[in-house]
């Protein structure tokens, strides 16, 4: 399947997972850049608040058209028990263009279930596969990633 990985990463954990998958699939990949500044301590608090209330933020323009792909892998950090606001923005703008979806999330301890359910609710599709990576698992990615590679 022609696959695009779209991710947001504030501190590179999700980026590491997204790039790990991209290395195996050699597919297109794009990072979503929010127009809101989420860096530093103030950014952390802003991110938690914006995600918790599902704030509609703006993101930089998308380079790849999701309609050109059979599968979109959406990768996000968990913020305040849900998806990060940049990935929410991307989904809100593009959900009707997704053919198949796979969800990837990283967190400190969250199991991702609520987040993945919310993503499906907005997109109106069940994912082909989901992958949850906790910070403590970031150094052992190969075995975690393989179920996704098998689905593509
Ligand atoms: C604003 C904010 C809120 C967070 N909320 C949660 C949370 O509710 N549960 C959790 O397990 N981790 C939470 N985390 C931790 C991140 O999900 C985790 O560190 C993730 O791997 C960061 O990914 P990144 O480096 O790609 O940004 C939060 C981090 C940030 C910055």
């Amino acid at each position: 399947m022609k696959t695009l990985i779209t991710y947001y990463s504030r501190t590179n954990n999700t980026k590491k997972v997204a790039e790990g998958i991209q290395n195996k699939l050699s597919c297109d990949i794009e990072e979503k850049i929010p127009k809101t500044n989420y860096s530093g301590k103030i950014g952390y608090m802003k991110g938690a608040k914006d995600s918790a209330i599902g704030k509609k933020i703006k993101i930089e323009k998308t380079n790849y058209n999701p309609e050109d792909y059979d599968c979109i892998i959406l990768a996000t950090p968990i913020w305040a028990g849900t998806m990060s606001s940049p990935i929410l923005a991307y989904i809100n703008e593009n959900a009707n263009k997704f053919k198949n979806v796979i969800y990837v999330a990283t967190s400190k301890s969250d199991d991702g279930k609520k987040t993945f359910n919310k993503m499906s609710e907005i997109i109106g599709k069940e994912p082909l596969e989901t992958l949850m990576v906790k910070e403590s698992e970031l150094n052992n990615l190969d075995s975690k990633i393989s179920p996704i590679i098998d689905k593509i």
Side-chain angles (χ1 to χ4, degrees):
M1 281 195 280
K2 191 178 175 197
T3 301
L4 170 67
I5 304 174
T6 298
Y7 73 93
Y8 168 71
S9 188
R10 178 177 170 269
T11 48
N12 292 336
N13 293 347
T14 312
K15 180 180 177 142
K16 188 175 176 190
V17 180
E19 290 183 345
I21 298 168
Q22 198 264 344
N23 268 338
K24 301 253 188 248
L25 293 176
S26 299
C27 62
D28 290 332
I29 184 166
E30 69 171 352
E31 180 177 8
K32 297 324 299 176
I33 307 289
K35 291 187 178 175
T36 305
N37 182 0
Y38 289 120
S39 60
K41 277 195 180 149
I42 292 171
Y44 183 107
M45 288 185 284
K46 190 161 179 41
K49 182 170 169 244
D50 286 357
S51 294
I53 62 171
K55 186 170 178 184
K56 289 191 161 63
I57 65 148
K58 292 204 163 62
I59 49 175
E60 297 292 344
K61 209 174 153 291
T62 294
N63 296 321
Y64 297 97
N65 182 355
E67 280 175 314
D68 296 339
Y69 296 85
D70 303 309
C71 183
I72 309 293
I73 299 178
L74 298 161
T76 180
I78 303 278
W79 279 5
T82 188
M83 76 200 90
S84 61
S85 34
I87 287 297
L88 174 65
Y90 178 73
I91 291 174
N92 278 334
E93 283 175 21
N94 294 284
N96 60 342
K97 299 178 189 152
F98 301 155
K99 294 183 187 115
N100 294 289
V101 282
I102 288 176
Y103 306 148
V104 175
T106 70
S107 76
K108 194 168 177 53
S109 58
D110 192 287
D111 67 9
K113 281 186 188 144
K114 191 183 136 216
T115 299
F116 294 151
N117 284 340
K118 182 78 186 164
M119 291 165 88
S120 286
E121 192 185 304
I122 302 171
I123 296 168
K125 276 190 171 68
E126 289 304 315
L128 299 181
E129 188 62 71
T130 65
L131 171 63
M132 188 63 229
V133 181
K134 296 187 181 154
E135 286 175 7
S136 57
E137 300 169 320
L138 280 165
N139 288 327
N140 185 22
L141 278 182
D142 267 14
S143 59
K144 296 231 63 161
I145 286 172
S146 54
I148 288 191
I149 310 304
D150 294 345
K151 278 271 156 45
I152 302 289

